[in-house]
Amino acid sequence: MDTSPSALLRALLPKLPLVAKTALWHTLWLSPTSTKWDLRTEITVNIIRSLLDSPGPTPLSKQQRWSLKDPGIKGRMWVSKVTLPRPEEDDIRSVLADAIDTLKGAGGVYPTPAVVPVEAEWTGYRAHVRHDRPRLDHSEAQHYQRLMSEVTSPVTLIYLHGGAHYMMDPSSHRIPVSRLAHLTNGRCLSVRYRLSPQNPFPCALLDAFQTYLSLLYPPPGSFHEPVVANNIVLAGDSAGGNLSLALVQLILEINRSSTRAFVAFHEQSIQLPLPLPAGVANSSPWVDLSRCMPSILSNAQYDYLPPPKGPDTVSRLPHDEIWPTDPPRGDLYCDLSMLDHALVSPLAAEDWAKSCPMFFSCGEEMLADEGKAVASLAAEQGVTVIWEQYEAMPHCFPILLEQLEAGRKAVKSWAAFCSKVAGGSDNKLETTGTWYAAKTCEETAVDVRSLALCSREEVAERMSTTIHARMQGREGEAKILPKL
């Protein structure tokens, strides 16, 4: 994304009337959120909301191109760009397909993805420089060496960025990723997974799986040495949180059901069962692509995400070079028949037993209920779960509202979890849930096992009903665009 002052000014100038109205309503206590937010938060959320819910839909390709503008590398971060080569063997695609089919149940349609090289960025914290210090004129290998010279812990994050599966890339997330590297004293591998709609499910999941195996078993020519699974944390925000939980569920399913003895990968034989990472840590994970849970509507006042609209009021996406797809598809990420698949919507997963520890951080946002359902089920099945929810905070607030006490606290908790599970700490984590009050961040303990507001049967019924409704109104292309 272009975050230069001139670009921001061009984007904000048309919003000046909105800013003035928001400031007036907030000052007069007429806004429904004026008791929960400060003025800066209210203005920020209202501007983002207006940009996402504009009257005329923007062509998908234009949205995607805008989100992929590289802001450059400067300041307190080391970045080393790498390409993880594709293995000559086809085993990772085969075990992925087997897992999808085993979990598929009543059926579903998905394409067979190609195994391709995966681009990524090693990211670390660069100390003792100004925020505008330019990147050094080094080779990527030299940048990696400089990065590693400042790493003092074994924590290694695989970071999967948000963006609704069709927007953004590692360049858009360098600042929050470098912040996590700083707070953990570790390093992050930020993955440029394939985006939809050009590359539908399971392309992005295959890229994430290949990345994980490439850390464990480095391909020839890699900058990094083998990383043990106990030092790896899968992390992400929004759609990236979806992918990280889907990757955990994929590994669990391979270990549960695969009849293979090993997986061939770059002339190495990886013995099964596959090792799980040390943990999975997400901010505002999007785990229900059907968007069927109650908080999608009930928490809308605290969020900037546009709520679903009825079929009579939703404008079609303008046709462009990437949408609609050929053949037509009812969702940007996958065929509608796959929306309730456990590797597409982890909300649909029935078995989290033997998972690595999980960390959830979210606001009082539209995606809260789906996260609660996954966290609650995992905790009931014996998984260690850390749940943190912040009153009146919107989607991905630690990234967007870092100046708030809630934003700073959430990022520190996010990093602290990663350090505890992957940093060699002897302190054993226990399942805990915490509600943080607006403005004060006063803490109240909550029971993670009782978070879910719907039974598993109700969740399945909600997903089925929502998917059926979308199928009935699809007419060859999506009418509802999830903007996360």
Side-chain angles (χ1 to χ4, degrees), residues 59-65 166 195-199 317-327 329 332:
L60 207 60
S61 59
K62 186 176 180 180
Q63 295 182 49
Q64 192 177 83
R65 284 195 301 270
Y166 77 98
L195 299 177
S196 58
Q198 303 96 314
N199 303 287
L317 282 170
H319 289 211
D320 62 10
E321 63 266 28
I322 66 174
W323 190 261
T325 56
D326 185 16
R329 193 169 66 239
L332 299 181

Side-chain angles (χ1 to χ4, degrees), residues 315-356:
S315 300
R316 291 180 184 273
L317 282 170
H319 289 211
D320 62 10
E321 63 266 28
I322 66 174
W323 190 261
T325 56
D326 185 16
R329 193 169 66 239
D331 187 85
L332 299 181
Y333 185 58
C334 65
D335 188 84
L336 291 178
S337 63
M338 297 294 289
L339 282 179
D340 58 353
H341 192 286
L343 299 182
V344 172
S345 294
L347 174 65
E350 296 288 345
D351 189 358
W352 293 102
K354 300 183 180 180
S355 169
C356 55

Side-chain angles (χ1 to χ4, degrees), residues 32-62:
T33 54
S34 58
T35 60
K36 307 287 187 180
W37 292 345
D38 61 17
L39 178 58
R40 182 174 176 180
T41 300
E42 188 121 33
I43 290 174
T44 301
V45 171
N46 282 345
I47 288 176
I48 297 174
R49 184 184 287 151
S50 71
L51 290 171
L52 291 179
D53 201 20
S54 56
T58 303
L60 207 60
S61 59
K62 186 176 180 180

Side-chain angles (χ1 to χ4, degrees), residues 197-216:
Q198 303 96 314
N199 303 287
F201 172 85
C203 291
L205 182 56
L206 179 59
D207 292 347
F209 185 36
Q210 182 178 333
T211 300
Y212 180 62
L213 294 183
S214 294
L215 282 191
L216 297 173

Side-chain angles (χ1 to χ4, degrees), residues 54-363:
S54 56
T58 303
L60 207 60
S61 59
K62 186 176 180 180
Q63 295 182 49
Q64 192 177 83
R65 284 195 301 270
W66 175 82
S67 76
L68 297 177
K69 290 182 178 179
D70 193 329
I73 302 169
K74 62 182 179 180
R76 296 174 182 176
M77 65 178 74
W78 291 111
V79 173
S80 173
K81 300 177 183 180
V82 296
T83 299
L84 306 173
R86 66 174 298 278
E88 293 299 323
E89 307 91 343
D90 200 42
D91 286 25
I92 61 171
R93 181 169 62 176
S94 297
V95 294
L96 171 60
D98 291 345
I100 293 172
D101 292 342
T102 302
L103 290 166
K104 192 164 54 175
V109 178
Y110 67 94
T112 301
V115 183
V116 300
V118 178
E119 295 182 4
E121 293 185 357
W122 280 110
T123 306
Y125 183 70
R126 184 183 179 189
H128 311 303
V129 297
R130 298 188 325 184
H131 290 285
D132 59 352
R133 180 74 174 269
R135 190 186 192 216
L136 296 176
D137 185 17
H138 286 346
S139 68
E140 299 301 337
Q142 289 172 320
H143 279 293
Y144 182 75
Q145 292 167 1
R146 295 294 294 272
L147 181 158
M148 289 302 296
S149 70
E150 297 196 39
V151 169
T152 59
S153 88
V155 177
T156 303
L157 273 61
I158 293 177
Y159 196 89
L160 300 162
H161 64 82
H165 295 295
Y166 77 98
M167 292 194 300
M168 303 190 188
D169 68 355
S171 70
S172 61
H173 283 63
R174 286 179 187 138
I175 291 176
V177 171
S178 62
R179 188 176 299 120
L180 287 173
H182 181 206
L183 292 172
T184 60
N185 297 309
R187 56 182 171 168
C188 304
L189 185 61
S190 189
V191 185
R192 184 171 281 106
Y193 58 82
R194 282 173 282 180
L195 299 177
S196 58
Q198 303 96 314
N199 303 287
F201 172 85
C203 291
L205 182 56
L206 179 59
D207 292 347
F209 185 36
Q210 182 178 333
T211 300
Y212 180 62
L213 294 183
S214 294
L215 282 191
L216 297 173
Y217 306 94
S222 298
F223 294 163
H224 64 281
E225 298 295 323
V227 184
V228 296
N230 287 340
N231 293 146
I232 299 174
V233 178
L234 306 179
D237 65 278
S238 193
N242 170 295
L243 286 174
S244 67
L245 285 164
L247 179 53
V248 171
Q249 185 62 217
L250 171 62
I251 296 170
L252 289 171
E253 183 56 34
I254 290 171
N255 292 345
R256 284 190 296 254
S257 63
S258 180
T259 58
R260 294 169 176 262
F262 64 90
V263 173
F265 185 73
H266 289 293
E267 300 183 356
Q268 303 174 81
S269 296
I270 303 174
Q271 300 299 312
L272 298 187
L274 293 173
L276 283 159
V280 56
N282 295 314
S283 175
S284 297
W286 183 27
V287 295
D288 171 28
L289 270 64
S290 76
R291 307 184 81 197
C292 73
M293 298 297 279
S295 60
I296 286 289
L297 296 176
S298 62
N299 287 356
Q301 67 172 330
Y302 297 123
D303 218 334
Y304 52 79
L305 300 179
K309 297 181 176 69
D312 296 331
T313 59
V314 176
S315 300
R316 291 180 184 273
L317 282 170
H319 289 211
D320 62 10
E321 63 266 28
I322 66 174
W323 190 261
T325 56
D326 185 16
R329 193 169 66 239
D331 187 85
L332 299 181
Y333 185 58
C334 65
D335 188 84
L336 291 178
S337 63
M338 297 294 289
L339 282 179
D340 58 353
H341 192 286
L343 299 182
V344 172
S345 294
L347 174 65
E350 296 288 345
D351 189 358
W352 293 102
K354 300 183 180 180
S355 169
C356 55
M358 298 179 173
F359 174 87
F360 294 82
S361 175
C362 73

